[in-house]
Amino acid sequence: MQLQFLGTGAGMPSKERNTSALALKLLEERGTIWLFDCGEATQHQILHTTIRPRKIEKIFITHLHGDHIFGLPGLLSSRSFLGGEDTLTIYGPKGLREWVQFSFEISNTHITYAIEYVEIEEGVIFEDDQFIVTAMELEHVIQCFGFRIEQKALPGELLIDKARELGVPKGPLLGKLKNGEDITLENGQVILSKEVTSPPKRGFVVTILGDTRVCENSKLLSREADIVVHEATFDHTTASHAANYGHSTNVEAAQIAKEAGSNYLILNHISARFLPSDIQTLLLEAKEIFPNSYIVNDFNQFSWKNNTLIKED
């Protein structure tokens, strides 16, 4: 799993930061990409990455402010031109479907693939045999959601030496055991999968929050998460502005991650009021509360390997 930030700014684009968009790359897990928010010019940002729009399987929209959705019609249109054929599912607040379809209608845009819209409410909004995604409302100036993405437990490793000791021959029977199936040998001996596999491995948990002031649901979504992506539009000197405008500070985000027992915190949605020279100060303030903190720039990418978050160069 990888996280790549396509836009890390707040409100409107600046020379340093584009508006909100984040790609959750699940290429190893399912061969697809999930996109969270799609601010203006997201498709242009994608041109500077290895992301292929036709690989985008799902788009999750936190809320309907322009800096989180104005890039959506263009990206959806380009996905047709770039050979996207598979169904795309878009999750978001009520009104998103109407807005996208109206944009297509008045611009006479034709999409060559199916789009499924899911107008979300609190609770589980997606589940299959690999992942479960839960949404909860946050506290912003309009309806806004945060998402908790949980990878289900992975099968344990096959203990080949132990299987061979029990008389399992090379071939498809080993594969069945690895996949959790019990088998019967030619001599009638039954081999249980649990006898020759290690315990299941815990999957990763990623929490991606939309714009929000400090609230209990942020903490609930972040509880014991491996990675929390939290906005930090303001700093502690402008905390009153943060609350009034439905946003958080770097210090407040760090406190949420700490109280939730999270492992890593990634701060984004940084106001243009902060110059590049201010970023280190913002980061140090967060680290005083939650040491495993990062502040991201556009195009930063992180990999999750061996239960460790690795920032790539």
Side-chain angles (χ1 to χ4, degrees):
M1 179 271 288
Q2 294 174 310
L3 286 168
Q4 185 163 27
F5 290 80
L6 302 173
T8 59
M12 63 181 184
S14 67
K15 291 181 178 180
E16 287 78 26
R17 299 177 184 275
N18 200 57
T19 50
S20 294
L22 165 60
L24 175 62
K25 297 181 177 181
L26 302 171
L27 298 175
E28 293 184 9
E29 291 81 3
R30 59 197 292 132
T32 62
I33 295 170
W34 294 358
L35 188 66
F36 290 80
D37 285 336
C38 189
E40 180 183 352
T42 292
Q43 66 170 320
H44 189 273
Q45 296 289 89
I46 287 175
L47 294 176
H48 300 280
T49 73
T50 60
I51 295 172
R52 297 181 180 181
R54 62 184 176 83
K55 287 285 189 180
I56 297 175
E57 173 195 16
K58 299 180 183 296
I59 299 177
F60 298 83
I61 300 297
T62 60
H63 64 295
L64 301 186
H65 274 160
D67 59 321
H68 294 256
I69 64 169
F70 279 171
L72 190 54
L75 175 62
L76 297 177
S77 177
S78 293
R79 189 174 184 266
S80 283
F81 286 108
L82 295 171
E85 298 178 349
D86 296 333
T87 298
L88 174 69
T89 306
I90 304 177
Y91 302 79
K94 184 177 181 180
L96 179 61
R97 174 176 184 167
E98 180 182 5
W99 178 76
V100 172
Q101 291 186 333
F102 184 68
S103 298
F104 288 162
E105 181 181 341
I106 64 172
S107 62
N108 197 28
T109 299
H110 176 64
I111 301 299
T112 59
Y113 55 89
I115 298 178
E116 294 181 352
Y117 296 90
V118 178
E119 292 188 338
I120 57 179
E121 299 179 352
E122 285 197 331
V124 174
I125 60 172
F126 170 74
E127 183 173 7
D128 64 5
D129 60 349
Q130 288 184 296
F131 290 94
I132 181 168
V133 180
T134 303
M136 296 184 74
E137 282 200 46
L138 305 175
E139 293 186 13
H140 193 39
V141 294
I142 64 171
Q143 187 182 48
C144 185
F145 289 91
F147 303 104
R148 180 181 175 94
I149 303 96
E150 299 179 71
Q151 182 187 34
K152 293 186 176 180
L154 302 173
E157 296 181 359
L158 178 65
L159 306 176
I160 295 179
D161 291 342
K162 188 170 183 180
R164 296 300 301 277
E165 289 176 4
L166 293 174
V168 182
K170 290 183 179 179
L173 291 180
L174 288 174
K176 289 184 177 182
L177 289 168
K178 181 179 170 105
N179 292 329
E181 298 180 45
D182 301 332
I183 64 169
T184 302
L185 301 180
E186 289 185 357
N187 62 7
Q189 181 183 1
V190 175
I191 307 296
L192 303 180
S193 174
K194 66 181 181 181
E195 294 179 312
V196 293
T197 54
S198 61
K201 297 180 180 179
R202 175 184 178 272
F204 61 76
V205 178
V206 178
T207 296
I208 299 174
L209 303 173
D211 294 0
T212 184
R213 62 174 61 91
V214 174
C215 67
E216 186 64 22
N217 280 354
S218 292
K219 194 185 306 182
L220 291 174
L221 287 170
S222 303
R223 182 166 294 166
E224 297 182 354
D226 295 299
I227 305 165
V228 174
V229 180
H230 199 301
E231 66 130 296
T233 311
F234 294 90
D235 69 352
H236 71 281
T237 66
T238 52
S240 60
H241 290 289
N244 290 337
Y245 290 100
H247 288 292
S248 299
T249 70
N250 56 333
V251 171
E252 290 170 339
Q255 191 64 39
I256 288 288
K258 179 180 179 180
E259 293 179 6
S262 310
N263 291 328
Y264 294 92
L265 171 67
I266 300 177
L267 300 173
N268 73 341
H269 203 269
I270 309 300
S271 171
R273 73 178 62 215
F274 299 115
L275 301 175
S277 57
D278 298 322
I279 299 303
Q280 186 63 20
T281 299
L282 295 176
L283 178 59
L284 291 176
E285 290 173 350
K287 281 180 170 289
E288 287 182 5
I289 297 170
F290 191 80
N292 287 341
S293 295
Y294 296 87
I295 293 182
V296 286
N297 297 309
D298 288 11
F299 305 116
N300 281 169
Q301 181 163 278
F302 296 80
S303 292
W304 183 250
K305 297 179 179 178
N306 299 320
N307 296 322
T308 303
L309 187 66
I310 301 171
K311 186 175 184 294
E312 300 180 2
D313 295 328

